[in-house]
Coordinates of all heavy atoms in Angstrom, one line a residue:
A242 N 6.0 20.5 0.3 CA 5.2 21.6 -0.1 C 6.0 22.8 -0.3 O 5.9 23.6 -1.3 CB 4.2 22.0 1.0
A243 N 7.1 23.0 0.5 CA 8.0 24.2 0.3 C 8.8 24.0 -1.0 O 9.0 25.0 -1.7 CB 9.0 24.3 1.5
L244 N 9.3 22.9 -1.3 CA 10.0 22.6 -2.5 C 9.1 22.9 -3.8 O 9.6 23.5 -4.7 CB 10.6 21.3 -2.6 CG 11.8 20.9 -1.6 CD1 12.1 19.5 -1.6 CD2 13.0 21.7 -2.2
L245 N 7.9 22.4 -3.7 CA 7.0 22.6 -4.8 C 6.7 24.0 -5.0 O 6.6 24.6 -6.1 CB 5.7 21.8 -4.7 CG 5.9 20.2 -4.7 CD1 4.6 19.5 -4.3 CD2 6.3 19.8 -6.1
K246 N 6.4 24.8 -3.9 CA 6.1 26.2 -4.0 C 7.3 27.0 -4.5 O 7.0 28.0 -5.1 CB 5.6 26.7 -2.6 CG 4.2 26.2 -2.3 CD 3.1 26.7 -3.1 CE 1.7 26.3 -2.6 NZ 0.7 26.8 -3.5
A247 N 8.5 26.6 -4.1 CA 9.7 27.2 -4.6 C 9.9 27.1 -6.1 O 10.8 27.8 -6.7 CB 10.9 26.8 -3.8
D248 N 9.2 26.1 -6.7 CA 9.3 25.9 -8.1 C 10.8 25.6 -8.6 O 11.3 26.2 -9.5 CB 8.8 27.2 -8.9 CG 8.4 26.7 -10.3 OD1 8.2 25.6 -10.6 OD2 8.4 27.6 -11.2
V249 N 11.4 24.6 -7.8 CA 12.7 24.2 -8.2 C 12.7 23.5 -9.6 O 11.8 22.7 -9.8 CB 13.2 23.2 -7.1 CG1 14.7 22.7 -7.5 CG2 13.3 23.9 -5.8
T250 N 13.6 23.9 -10.4 CA 13.7 23.2 -11.8 C 14.5 21.9 -11.7 O 15.7 22.0 -11.4 CB 14.2 24.2 -12.8 OG1 13.4 25.4 -12.7 CG2 14.3 23.6 -14.1
M251 N 13.9 20.8 -12.0 CA 14.7 19.5 -12.1 C 14.1 18.7 -13.2 O 13.0 18.9 -13.7 CB 14.4 18.8 -10.7 CG 15.2 19.5 -9.5 SD 15.2 18.3 -8.0 CE 13.4 18.4 -7.6
S252 N 14.9 17.7 -13.6 CA 14.5 16.7 -14.6 C 13.6 15.7 -14.0 O 13.4 15.6 -12.7 CB 15.7 16.0 -15.1 OG 16.4 15.2 -14.1
L253 N 12.9 14.9 -14.9 CA 12.0 13.9 -14.3 C 12.7 12.9 -13.4 O 12.2 12.5 -12.4 CB 11.4 13.1 -15.6 CG 10.6 11.9 -15.2 CD1 9.3 12.4 -14.4 CD2 10.0 11.3 -16.5
Q254 N 13.9 12.5 -13.8 CA 14.7 11.6 -13.0 C 14.9 12.2 -11.6 O 14.8 11.5 -10.6 CB 16.1 11.3 -13.7 CG 17.0 10.4 -12.8 CD 18.4 10.5 -13.3 OE1 18.8 11.4 -13.9 NE2 19.2 9.4 -13.0
E255 N 15.2 13.4 -11.5 CA 15.5 14.1 -10.3 C 14.2 14.3 -9.4 O 14.3 14.1 -8.2 CB 16.2 15.4 -10.5 CG 17.6 15.3 -11.1 CD 18.1 16.5 -11.7 OE1 17.3 17.5 -12.0 OE2 19.3 16.6 -12.1
W256 N 13.1 14.5 -10.0 CA 11.8 14.5 -9.3 C 11.4 13.2 -8.7 O 10.9 13.0 -7.6 CB 10.7 15.1 -10.2 CG 10.7 16.6 -10.3 CD1 11.0 17.3 -11.4 CD2 10.4 17.5 -9.3 NE1 10.9 18.6 -11.1 CE2 10.5 18.8 -9.8 CE3 10.0 17.4 -7.9 CZ2 10.3 20.0 -9.1 CZ3 9.9 18.5 -7.2 CH2 10.0 19.8 -7.8
M257 N 11.7 12.2 -9.5 CA 11.5 10.8 -9.0 C 12.4 10.5 -7.8 O 11.9 9.9 -6.8 CB 11.7 9.7 -10.1 CG 10.6 9.8 -11.1 SD 10.9 8.6 -12.5 CE 10.8 7.1 -11.6
A258 N 13.7 11.0 -7.8 CA 14.6 10.7 -6.7 C 14.1 11.5 -5.5 O 14.2 11.0 -4.4 CB 16.0 11.2 -7.1
L259 N 13.5 12.7 -5.7 CA 13.1 13.5 -4.6 C 11.9 12.8 -3.9 O 11.7 12.7 -2.7 CB 12.6 14.9 -5.0 CG 12.0 15.7 -4.0 CD1 13.1 16.1 -2.9 CD2 11.5 17.1 -4.5
T260 N 11.0 12.2 -4.8 CA 9.8 11.5 -4.3 C 10.2 10.4 -3.5 O 9.6 10.2 -2.3 CB 8.9 10.9 -5.5 OG1 8.7 12.1 -6.4 CG2 7.7 10.3 -5.0
Y261 N 11.2 9.6 -3.9 CA 11.7 8.5 -3.0 C 12.3 9.1 -1.7 O 12.1 8.5 -0.6 CB 12.7 7.7 -3.7 CG 13.4 6.6 -2.9 CD1 12.7 5.4 -2.8 CD2 14.5 6.8 -2.2 CE1 13.2 4.3 -2.0 CE2 15.0 5.8 -1.4 CZ 14.4 4.6 -1.3 OH 14.9 3.6 -0.5
A262 N 13.1 10.1 -1.8 CA 13.9 10.6 -0.7 C 12.9 11.1 0.4 O 13.1 10.7 1.6 CB 14.8 11.8 -1.2
V263 N 12.0 12.0 0.1 CA 11.2 12.5 1.1 C 10.2 11.5 1.6 O 9.6 11.7 2.7 CB 10.4 13.8 0.6 CG1 11.4 14.9 0.3 CG2 9.6 13.5 -0.6
G264 N 9.8 10.5 0.8 CA 9.0 9.4 1.3 C 9.5 8.5 2.2 O 8.9 8.1 3.1
V265 N 10.8 8.1 2.0 CA 11.5 7.1 2.7 C 12.4 7.6 3.7 O 12.6 7.0 4.8 CB 12.2 6.1 1.8 CG1 12.9 5.0 2.6 CG2 11.3 5.5 0.8
G266 N 12.9 8.8 3.6 CA 13.9 9.4 4.5 C 13.4 9.6 5.9 O 14.2 9.5 6.9
G267 N 12.1 9.8 6.1 CA 11.5 9.9 7.4 C 11.7 8.7 8.2 O 11.5 8.7 9.5
S268 N 12.0 7.5 7.6 CA 12.2 6.3 8.3 C 13.5 6.2 9.1 O 13.6 5.3 10.0 CB 12.2 5.1 7.3 OG 11.0 5.1 6.4

């Protein structure tokens, strides 16, 4: 939520990488 609210500018590839990272990193 903080990253989205901060409006970080990234490419589609980088947003997909973030989706994986925050989803799986908690494991």
Side-chain angles (χ1 to χ4, degrees):
L244 284 169
L245 292 173
K246 288 292 185 182
D248 200 21
V249 177
T250 302
M251 290 192 289
S252 66
L253 175 58
Q254 177 196 24
E255 290 160 350
W256 279 111
M257 289 178 64
L259 177 67
T260 304
Y261 176 88
V263 295
V265 181
S268 308

